[in-house]
Amino acid sequence: MSKTSGTRGVKSAARTVELLELLAARGDRPARLDELAAELGVPRSSMYQLLQTLVDCGWVRSDTTGSLYGIGIRALLTGTSYLDSDPRVRRARPALEQASDTLGETVHLARLDGPNVVYLATRESHAYARTLSRVGRRIPAHAGALGKALLAERPDGELPLPEGPLVAYTENTHTERSTLVADLAQVRERGYSIDREETVTGIAGFGFALRYDEPATDAISCSVPVARLSAEHEARIVAVMRETRARIESAVVPAPGAPDWR
């Protein structure tokens, strides 16, 4: 959980958020009471009381035996509200749909969240549509086109990266800060990022930062199977995604009196 001010946090609230984030990160792997208590360093009795409160409120769910816990439906309602209320996501969707239809490929919109990027919208290719939605999922920013496009908007000394070696998703993922920094220099010179099977084997990606914020917090990308990525198709992807970036940036104009979300 990130800290954005110098105010003193409310311990119980912070613990609740940490628990919800932990359960969300586990995905389809439910957790037991003892696991959660140990992970968060909380007494077992306190964790049990917190879990029962959240179960009653719908933020956490438990199985019929009451021994396994997972994220609850209220989290989905809150996440959906976030997407529905964000004018940038709403205004980007038509451009993403047009780019996907033009290229026949999958396109994404994502936002930087600490050392990760979170998918906000995806338009899947009809040629290889996935059954699992990416929206709401996160990946480390160093591992793909979206994240590298956003990291390149920041000075090398201010990159939001974790300490130590970087997590590898494939044999092509940057695991050393030095190689990532060298790649980011090329991104700045080129104007967009390239992910050649760094996140998923067999998939390449091209990422473009949306510069309606400084530094940029949002980016779009196009994913394509390397098996059909010819030089001509790559050039077309870059051209169309550049046009898509310009279209989205021109569409995102804050309405008078609208909050400037950060």
Side-chain angles (χ1 to χ4, degrees), residues 23-53:
L23 289 173
R26 292 179 65 92
D28 62 354
R29 297 179 297 111
R32 296 185 180 276
L33 171 62
D34 291 341
E35 292 179 279
L36 296 172
E39 182 74 19
L40 298 182
V42 176
R44 191 177 186 277
S45 58
S46 298
M47 177 57 66
Y48 178 77
Q49 293 175 356
L50 177 56
L51 284 167
Q52 293 310 303
T53 299

Short mmCIF file of all heavy atoms in Angstrom, two decimals, residues 23-53:
data_model
loop_
_atom_site.label_atom_id
_atom_site.label_comp_id
_atom_site.label_asym_id
_atom_site.label_seq_id
_atom_site.Cartn_x
_atom_site.Cartn_y
_atom_site.Cartn_z
N LEU A 23 -5.57 -10.61 -0.51
CA LEU A 23 -6.53 -11.56 -1.06
C LEU A 23 -6.70 -11.36 -2.56
O LEU A 23 -6.81 -12.34 -3.32
CB LEU A 23 -7.87 -11.42 -0.35
CG LEU A 23 -7.93 -11.91 1.10
CD1 LEU A 23 -9.26 -11.53 1.74
CD2 LEU A 23 -7.70 -13.41 1.19
N ALA A 24 -6.73 -10.11 -3.00
CA ALA A 24 -6.87 -9.83 -4.43
C ALA A 24 -5.67 -10.35 -5.21
O ALA A 24 -5.83 -10.90 -6.31
CB ALA A 24 -7.04 -8.32 -4.65
N ALA A 25 -4.49 -10.21 -4.65
CA ALA A 25 -3.28 -10.65 -5.34
C ALA A 25 -3.22 -12.17 -5.47
O ALA A 25 -2.57 -12.70 -6.37
CB ALA A 25 -2.04 -10.15 -4.59
N ARG A 26 -3.90 -12.90 -4.59
CA ARG A 26 -3.88 -14.36 -4.64
C ARG A 26 -4.75 -14.91 -5.77
O ARG A 26 -4.63 -16.07 -6.14
CB ARG A 26 -4.32 -14.93 -3.30
CG ARG A 26 -3.32 -14.67 -2.17
CD ARG A 26 -3.85 -15.26 -0.85
NE ARG A 26 -3.94 -16.71 -0.92
CZ ARG A 26 -2.98 -17.54 -0.54
NH1 ARG A 26 -1.83 -17.06 -0.09
NH2 ARG A 26 -3.14 -18.85 -0.61
N GLY A 27 -5.64 -14.08 -6.30
CA GLY A 27 -6.47 -14.53 -7.41
C GLY A 27 -7.35 -15.71 -7.02
O GLY A 27 -8.16 -15.62 -6.10
N ASP A 28 -7.18 -16.84 -7.73
CA ASP A 28 -8.03 -18.01 -7.49
C ASP A 28 -7.44 -18.94 -6.44
O ASP A 28 -7.87 -20.10 -6.33
CB ASP A 28 -8.26 -18.78 -8.79
CG ASP A 28 -6.96 -19.31 -9.40
OD1 ASP A 28 -5.89 -18.98 -8.86
OD2 ASP A 28 -7.03 -20.04 -10.40
N ARG A 29 -6.49 -18.44 -5.64
CA ARG A 29 -5.90 -19.26 -4.57
C ARG A 29 -6.41 -18.76 -3.22
O ARG A 29 -5.88 -17.82 -2.67
CB ARG A 29 -4.37 -19.18 -4.61
CG ARG A 29 -3.76 -19.73 -5.89
CD ARG A 29 -2.24 -19.60 -5.89
NE ARG A 29 -1.81 -18.22 -5.85
CZ ARG A 29 -1.22 -17.64 -4.82
NH1 ARG A 29 -0.98 -18.31 -3.70
NH2 ARG A 29 -0.85 -16.37 -4.89
N PRO A 30 -7.47 -19.37 -2.69
CA PRO A 30 -8.00 -18.92 -1.39
C PRO A 30 -6.98 -19.13 -0.28
O PRO A 30 -6.06 -19.94 -0.40
CB PRO A 30 -9.24 -19.80 -1.20
CG PRO A 30 -8.97 -21.02 -2.04
CD PRO A 30 -8.21 -20.53 -3.22
N ALA A 31 -7.14 -18.38 0.79
CA ALA A 31 -6.18 -18.41 1.90
C ALA A 31 -6.86 -18.88 3.18
O ALA A 31 -8.06 -18.67 3.38
CB ALA A 31 -5.56 -17.04 2.10
N ARG A 32 -6.07 -19.48 4.04
CA ARG A 32 -6.54 -19.87 5.36
C ARG A 32 -6.23 -18.79 6.38
O ARG A 32 -5.35 -17.94 6.15
CB ARG A 32 -5.91 -21.20 5.79
CG ARG A 32 -6.30 -22.37 4.88
CD ARG A 32 -5.77 -23.70 5.40
NE ARG A 32 -6.15 -24.79 4.51
CZ ARG A 32 -7.33 -25.41 4.57
NH1 ARG A 32 -8.21 -25.05 5.49
NH2 ARG A 32 -7.61 -26.38 3.72
N LEU A 33 -6.94 -18.82 7.48
CA LEU A 33 -6.79 -17.83 8.53
C LEU A 33 -5.33 -17.72 8.98
O LEU A 33 -4.78 -16.62 9.09
CB LEU A 33 -7.69 -18.19 9.72
CG LEU A 33 -7.51 -17.37 11.00
CD1 LEU A 33 -7.82 -15.91 10.75
CD2 LEU A 33 -8.40 -17.93 12.11
N ASP A 34 -4.70 -18.85 9.24
CA ASP A 34 -3.32 -18.82 9.74
C ASP A 34 -2.36 -18.21 8.71
O ASP A 34 -1.42 -17.50 9.09
CB ASP A 34 -2.85 -20.24 10.09
CG ASP A 34 -3.56 -20.80 11.32
OD1 ASP A 34 -4.12 -19.98 12.08
OD2 ASP A 34 -3.57 -22.03 11.51
N GLU A 35 -2.61 -18.47 7.44
CA GLU A 35 -1.76 -17.91 6.39
C GLU A 35 -1.85 -16.39 6.40
O GLU A 35 -0.83 -15.68 6.31
CB GLU A 35 -2.18 -18.43 5.02
CG GLU A 35 -1.94 -19.89 4.77
CD GLU A 35 -2.42 -20.29 3.38
OE1 GLU A 35 -3.63 -20.50 3.21
OE2 GLU A 35 -1.58 -20.35 2.47
N LEU A 36 -3.06 -15.87 6.47
CA LEU A 36 -3.26 -14.43 6.43
C LEU A 36 -2.69 -13.75 7.67
O LEU A 36 -2.06 -12.69 7.57
CB LEU A 36 -4.75 -14.12 6.30
CG LEU A 36 -5.41 -14.62 5.01
CD1 LEU A 36 -6.92 -14.45 5.08
CD2 LEU A 36 -4.84 -13.88 3.81
N ALA A 37 -2.89 -14.37 8.81
CA ALA A 37 -2.35 -13.80 10.05
C ALA A 37 -0.83 -13.74 10.00
O ALA A 37 -0.22 -12.74 10.40
CB ALA A 37 -2.82 -14.62 11.25
N ALA A 38 -0.20 -14.80 9.51
CA ALA A 38 1.26 -14.83 9.43
C ALA A 38 1.79 -13.83 8.40
O ALA A 38 2.78 -13.15 8.63
CB ALA A 38 1.73 -16.25 9.08
N GLU A 39 1.11 -13.74 7.26
CA GLU A 39 1.56 -12.85 6.18
C GLU A 39 1.54 -11.39 6.62
O GLU A 39 2.44 -10.61 6.28
CB GLU A 39 0.67 -13.04 4.96
CG GLU A 39 1.06 -12.20 3.77
CD GLU A 39 2.30 -12.70 3.06
OE1 GLU A 39 2.67 -13.88 3.26
OE2 GLU A 39 2.92 -11.91 2.32
N LEU A 40 0.52 -11.01 7.36
CA LEU A 40 0.37 -9.62 7.77
C LEU A 40 0.89 -9.35 9.18
O LEU A 40 0.86 -8.21 9.64
CB LEU A 40 -1.09 -9.19 7.67
CG LEU A 40 -1.70 -9.24 6.26
CD1 LEU A 40 -3.14 -8.74 6.29
CD2 LEU A 40 -0.88 -8.40 5.30
N GLY A 41 1.37 -10.38 9.85
CA GLY A 41 1.91 -10.20 11.20
C GLY A 41 0.86 -9.76 12.19
O GLY A 41 1.12 -8.90 13.06
N VAL A 42 -0.32 -10.37 12.09
CA VAL A 42 -1.45 -10.00 12.94
C VAL A 42 -1.83 -11.19 13.82
O VAL A 42 -1.80 -12.34 13.35
CB VAL A 42 -2.66 -9.59 12.08
CG1 VAL A 42 -3.88 -9.29 12.93
CG2 VAL A 42 -2.31 -8.38 11.23
N PRO A 43 -2.17 -10.97 15.09
CA PRO A 43 -2.63 -12.09 15.93
C PRO A 43 -3.81 -12.81 15.28
O PRO A 43 -4.66 -12.20 14.65
CB PRO A 43 -3.05 -11.41 17.23
CG PRO A 43 -2.24 -10.15 17.27
CD PRO A 43 -2.12 -9.71 15.84
N ARG A 44 -3.83 -14.12 15.47
CA ARG A 44 -4.86 -14.93 14.83
C ARG A 44 -6.27 -14.48 15.21
O ARG A 44 -7.17 -14.43 14.37
CB ARG A 44 -4.66 -16.39 15.23
CG ARG A 44 -5.49 -17.40 14.45
CD ARG A 44 -5.14 -18.82 14.88
NE ARG A 44 -5.82 -19.82 14.05
CZ ARG A 44 -7.06 -20.23 14.25
NH1 ARG A 44 -7.79 -19.71 15.25
NH2 ARG A 44 -7.60 -21.14 13.46
N SER A 45 -6.48 -14.13 16.47
CA SER A 45 -7.80 -13.71 16.92
C SER A 45 -8.23 -12.40 16.26
O SER A 45 -9.39 -12.24 15.87
CB SER A 45 -7.81 -13.56 18.45
OG SER A 45 -6.84 -12.61 18.87
N SER A 46 -7.29 -11.48 16.12
CA SER A 46 -7.60 -10.20 15.48
C SER A 46 -7.91 -10.39 14.00
O SER A 46 -8.83 -9.76 13.46
CB SER A 46 -6.42 -9.23 15.64
OG SER A 46 -6.17 -8.96 17.01
N MET A 47 -7.15 -11.27 13.37
CA MET A 47 -7.40 -11.54 11.96
C MET A 47 -8.76 -12.18 11.76
O MET A 47 -9.49 -11.85 10.81
CB MET A 47 -6.30 -12.44 11.38
CG MET A 47 -6.50 -12.83 9.92
SD MET A 47 -6.67 -11.40 8.81
CE MET A 47 -5.01 -10.69 8.94
N TYR A 48 -9.15 -13.08 12.64
CA TYR A 48 -10.44 -13.74 12.53
C TYR A 48 -11.57 -12.71 12.64
O TYR A 48 -12.52 -12.73 11.84
CB TYR A 48 -10.60 -14.80 13.62
CG TYR A 48 -11.95 -15.47 13.59
CD1 TYR A 48 -12.25 -16.45 12.65
CD2 TYR A 48 -12.93 -15.12 14.52
CE1 TYR A 48 -13.50 -17.05 12.62
CE2 TYR A 48 -14.18 -15.72 14.49
CZ TYR A 48 -14.46 -16.69 13.54
OH TYR A 48 -15.70 -17.28 13.50
N GLN A 49 -11.47 -11.80 13.58
CA GLN A 49 -12.51 -10.78 13.76
C GLN A 49 -12.60 -9.88 12.53
O GLN A 49 -13.70 -9.54 12.07
CB GLN A 49 -12.22 -9.96 15.01
CG GLN A 49 -12.34 -10.75 16.31
CD GLN A 49 -11.92 -9.93 17.52
OE1 GLN A 49 -11.48 -8.79 17.38
NE2 GLN A 49 -12.06 -10.51 18.70
N LEU A 50 -11.44 -9.50 11.98
CA LEU A 50 -11.43 -8.65 10.80
C LEU A 50 -12.06 -9.37 9.61
O LEU A 50 -12.86 -8.80 8.87
CB LEU A 50 -10.00 -8.22 10.47
CG LEU A 50 -9.80 -7.37 9.22
CD1 LEU A 50 -10.67 -6.12 9.26
CD2 LEU A 50 -8.33 -7.01 9.06
N LEU A 51 -11.70 -10.63 9.43
CA LEU A 51 -12.25 -11.41 8.32
C LEU A 51 -13.77 -11.54 8.43
O LEU A 51 -14.50 -11.39 7.44
CB LEU A 51 -11.62 -12.80 8.28
CG LEU A 51 -10.20 -12.86 7.71
CD1 LEU A 51 -9.58 -14.22 8.01
CD2 LEU A 51 -10.21 -12.59 6.21
N GLN A 52 -14.26 -11.82 9.63
CA GLN A 52 -15.70 -11.98 9.80
C GLN A 52 -16.45 -10.69 9.52
O GLN A 52 -17.54 -10.70 8.93
CB GLN A 52 -16.02 -12.48 11.22
CG GLN A 52 -15.51 -13.89 11.50
CD GLN A 52 -15.93 -14.87 10.42
OE1 GLN A 52 -17.11 -15.03 10.12
NE2 GLN A 52 -14.95 -15.53 9.82
N THR A 53 -15.86 -9.57 9.91
CA THR A 53 -16.49 -8.27 9.62
C THR A 53 -16.58 -8.05 8.12
O THR A 53 -17.62 -7.62 7.60
CB THR A 53 -15.68 -7.14 10.27
OG1 THR A 53 -15.66 -7.32 11.69
CG2 THR A 53 -16.28 -5.78 9.94
#
